[in-house]
Each structure stands twice: as structure tokens, then as C-alpha cells.
Amino acid sequence: MKIFFVDCFDAVRPLDKLTFPLTSFNKKSLYPFTFIKSCLDLRVGILTLREKWHRLTSVFDLELAEGEVLEDGAVWVTKHVVPSETFLRAVLAMEEGDVLRCGGMIIALRYNRSCALKLKDITEGIALLKGVEDLFLLTGAEIEHDFKLLAAKTSITNVSPTNQLIGTAFYIAEQVTMECATLNSTSGPIYIDEGVTIMEGAHLRGPLYLGKGAVVKMGATIYGNVSVGRKSVVGGEVGNAVIGDFSAKGHHGYLGCSVIGDWCNLGAGTSNSNLKNNLKTVSIYDYKLEGFRDTGLLKCGVFMGDYTRTGINSSLNTGTVIGIASMLADTSFYAKFVPSFAWVFNGDTQHYNFDKFMEYLETLYMSKNEELPERHKRELNQLNKKYN
């Protein structure tokens, strides 16, 4: 059975035959994180959705296909589905013409040009990225799921006796440098990838993933439900958060119930609020709605797009959404929505000069011995023209 992926079912022609209302995912619901990245390349737990699909389809003997070919017997799946054994069993059970719906949203279709469409609701064991907050809400459970996929048993390689390990759910790869740290896996597994450095006095609780080459600074406190990307730096206090690749939160300050994109930098003392003083639920800006929506959550922090930076002692309000490629250099609370390519200073928001931004970006990549992909240059240029 072949599986094709689709961003949105609204444009899939066979669904014109539906006799019931169509509610479909739109990737704008995951902006700013899907501006220049596919939903499939978002990390949820240890693995990206694409990596999860590849591992699970090899077990279930399914074929991941490219393109938009309407092929009889093939299954179309929305990219925001977090793949699991439960979902793949439901896919394998689909007959031609079946349409799977979860939480009122169409998530899969098994195509046949001559079959009538049959709606089937699936209610249990399916996780979806419906909004940006799901990226941190699903992190802990997905770290546990991925840990079982990747590390069938505890693996600890050459850990110094100066460290204190509590619990048994650990995977510590080779070339990890760690001294005088406390690791507690009684609340969830801890997966430490190759080349990670954990400095003295760090306290870590699971579920936790530290990506290849990541650095945890001295005295850092990580409470759990945290996923840190490749070569990112973490310091201060962090809980219920996702940090992308090559990002830096290397200093004191609190980050919680939040998602930070790739290549971001949080200046020293940057902290976010995740709880309103009146204990009301938190609203956030939704790019699909072009306005604010109530998350229904009491705790919800900041959502920061790729390539964005904050100055020292920045204060980020509850439920703040910041676009890509912005520079925030104030010491008072910022607006709850900061657009992409914004330069915020002294209470004023201006357009970030695109040529200066690209010059900075080239230098940033060179400083990490990385090369800025040409595709990203083109996409950033297009986005700059679109939003400015």
C-alpha cells in the first residue's frame, strides 16, 4: 500500500463527492514553524514526523510515495498526523473509498476513482498537530514513544562516576561529556545523543531529549517534557519546551510551555510568562484565522519562528507568537504578536532591512561551519516580499 502526503484536503478533487461538511487541516495553523519547513520535518519528541514515518512504515510494510498522483488503492494522509502503530493499523484496515476523520477533521483517504466515499470516525490513539501549542504538549509522550522505537533497552556508555543517575530509562550515546550532573528518569526516559556536553551542576529530569552536539550549561535546570535540537545550547530554567536546531538559550532565565525555532538566540536574562495573573485561559495569534484564538490552556508560553533573536533581559508575555527573522531589543514586555522580519526597539516596530538580515544570516551559518541552503535564501526572500 502506498501513502501520499497532503498539506490540506480542501484541494483534493475526489473529496468533492462528500455529502458531509469537510474540515481539513491547513499548515498555516502551524506558522511560524512551517513557513520554510514541511510539517513532516517538525520534531515531535526525539524524531521528526518524517523520521517516524520511515521507521514505522518499514515495520508495517507500507511505501511512502512522492507527488500527487491519484492512484487507485493509495492512501492520502495529512502531514499533521503524528504517526503511530495505532494509526497505521487503522490505515491498513482502510478499504477503497474510506475516509478517516479524527476530532471532526479529515486525516486520511483511500482513493478509488469509482468507489463511493465512506466516512469512518477514529477516536483513540491518534495525535494531531492542530496548532503550535501541540508541539510542546505532545513532546513528553512522543519522547517516550520514540525512546521505545530507538532504544529497546537502557544503554549507558562510559558515564563518569561523578554523575548521579536516578532511575533506569537512559540512553547515553558515545562521545558524551558529562561531569557532576544529576539525571532523573523516574518520570520519563532521558535520551542523550552523540557529542552532547552537560556541564557541572546541571539537573535534568525526563522525559528529555538532547540532540547531537547540544550543550547544557553549568547549573541548568531542565524539568522534563523538553526536546532540544542539534547543536543547541541550553541554560537557566526550562520545562515543557521544544528548542530547534542551532538555537541558543545559554543564559539564566525561564523558558516554559514554549516552542523555539531553529537558529534562534535568546539574550541573557530572557524569560517568558506562561500563566496569566487572573488564571484565565491563554489566547494566541493564529495565522490561519488571522487573529487570536483561545487555546483553552492555563499555561502557554512563547512561540518563536526560525532566525529570531531577543536582546538581554527580554520579557515575553503569556501566549506570545513571534514570526521568523525578527530582532527584539526592548526590555519591556513585547506585543503578543510580532510579525516576521520585524526590528523591535525602544517601543517601536520597524521592518528589518532584508539585506542586513541576510548578511547576518550568512555570518551566523559560517560561525557554525554550516552552509545556508539556497532554497532557504529563495524562500526567505519570497516571504520578505509577501509580508513586507
Side-chain angles (χ1 to χ4, degrees):
M1 183 186 292
K2 288 185 179 180
I3 293 180
F4 292 85
F5 294 105
V6 61
D7 277 318
C8 179
F9 269 123
D10 290 350
V12 176
R13 195 170 62 252
L15 290 178
D16 292 343
K17 303 176 185 178
L18 286 176
T19 58
F20 42 83
L22 169 63
T23 302
S24 177
F25 171 72
N26 187 316
K27 79 169 191 173
K28 288 183 178 180
S29 297
L30 295 176
Y31 280 3
F33 304 110
T34 51
F35 268 129
I36 58 174
K37 181 184 291 185
S38 167
C39 297
L40 294 174
D41 295 317
L42 296 173
R43 177 168 27 88
V44 186
I46 297 174
L47 300 171
T48 65
L49 298 189
R50 192 183 304 276
E51 290 167 338
K52 294 175 194 283
W53 274 109
H54 280 289
R55 285 187 173 270
L56 287 169
T57 51
S58 63
V59 174
F60 282 81
D61 196 26
L62 295 167
E63 178 185 351
L64 300 181
E66 300 288 340
E68 299 182 357
V69 180
L70 291 174
E71 181 179 315
D72 282 351
V75 176
W76 287 64
V77 176
T78 49
K79 292 179 181 178
H80 76 308
V81 175
V82 180
S84 64
E85 294 88 345
T86 299
F87 179 66
L88 290 184
R89 282 193 288 269
V91 167
L92 286 170
M94 291 178 74
E95 299 176 351
E96 294 185 8
D98 282 353
V99 178
L100 290 188
R101 184 172 63 179
C102 180
M105 187 174 290
I106 303 297
I107 61 172
L109 159 70
R110 187 164 188 196
Y111 178 72
N112 185 292
R113 70 192 70 193
S114 58
C115 280
L117 298 178
K118 298 165 289 182
L119 181 65
K120 293 187 175 181
D121 283 303
I122 182 168
T123 57
E124 295 182 359
I126 307 298
L128 305 174
L129 295 177
K130 294 172 289 194
V132 291
E133 63 271 32
D134 292 316
L135 289 166
F136 80 80
L137 289 172
L138 295 174
T139 288
E142 285 301 308
I143 288 175
E144 298 201 30
H145 177 265
D146 293 345
F147 189 88
K148 292 174 183 176
L149 275 179
L150 298 170
K153 59 182 180 179
T154 295
S155 176
I156 300 174
T157 304
N158 299 323
V159 174
S160 166
T162 65
N163 299 291
Q164 183 178 18
L165 273 60
I166 305 168
T168 59
F170 296 101
Y171 177 87
I172 302 175
E174 297 180 356
Q175 299 177 331
V176 170
T177 302
M178 179 171 62
E179 297 289 349
C180 300
T182 302
L183 283 68
N184 185 342
S185 71
T186 58
S187 299
I190 296 177
Y191 191 109
I192 302 175
D193 225 322
E194 297 175 1
V196 168
T197 297
I198 301 174
M199 298 182 183
E200 304 91 295
H203 298 293
L204 317 178
R205 290 178 67 93
L208 170 65
Y209 170 64
L210 298 175
K212 292 182 179 179
V215 176
V216 178
K217 301 291 284 291
M218 292 177 66
T221 304
I222 301 179
Y223 289 104
N225 298 320
V226 170
S227 178
V228 178
R230 182 164 63 102
K231 293 190 177 181
S232 285
V233 181
V234 183
E237 186 180 4
V238 182
N240 297 301
V242 178
I243 299 174
D245 297 339
F246 295 97
S247 286
K249 188 234 171 288
H251 304 284
H252 290 293
Y254 174 70
L255 179 71
C257 302
S258 298
V259 183
I260 305 298
D262 298 338
W263 297 93
C264 293
N265 187 80
L266 276 63
T270 295
S271 288
N272 77 271
S273 166
N274 68 346
L275 181 68
K276 296 174 70 171
N277 290 335
N278 60 8
L279 299 183
K280 300 289 188 181
T281 55
V282 180
S283 294
I284 62 172
Y285 184 83
D286 188 309
Y287 282 86
K288 179 186 174 184
L289 301 176
E290 297 183 345
F292 285 83
R293 65 172 171 83
D294 191 344
T295 64
L297 301 173
L298 287 178
K299 289 191 173 183
C300 190
V302 62
F303 304 91
M304 180 182 293
D306 300 344
Y307 306 124
T308 285
R309 296 171 286 163
T310 65
I312 61 171
N313 296 320
S314 288
S315 298
L316 301 169
N317 222 326
T318 316
T320 296
V321 174
I322 307 168
I324 63 171
S326 289
M327 176 66 207
L328 285 67
D330 250 332
T331 53
S332 59
F333 277 102
Y334 298 98
K336 292 238 324 179
F337 172 61
V338 178
S340 297
F341 303 101
W343 185 281
V344 183
F345 177 70
N346 199 26
D348 186 31
T349 300
Q350 300 179 0
H351 173 55
Y352 193 165
N353 182 282
F354 186 70
D355 290 336
K356 288 185 177 180
F357 164 70
M358 291 304 296
E359 181 181 348
Y360 154 75
L361 202 57
E362 293 278 10
T363 303
L364 177 62
Y365 270 76
M366 287 177 59
S367 72
K368 304 292 185 180
N369 296 316
E370 297 287 328
E371 186 173 346
L372 178 60
E374 288 296 327
R375 178 177 65 85
H376 282 189
K377 294 179 185 179
R378 292 192 300 272
E379 290 173 343
L380 286 167
N381 187 39
Q382 291 167 3
L383 285 168
N384 178 60
K385 291 178 180 178
K386 180 177 180 180
Y387 289 98
N388 294 288

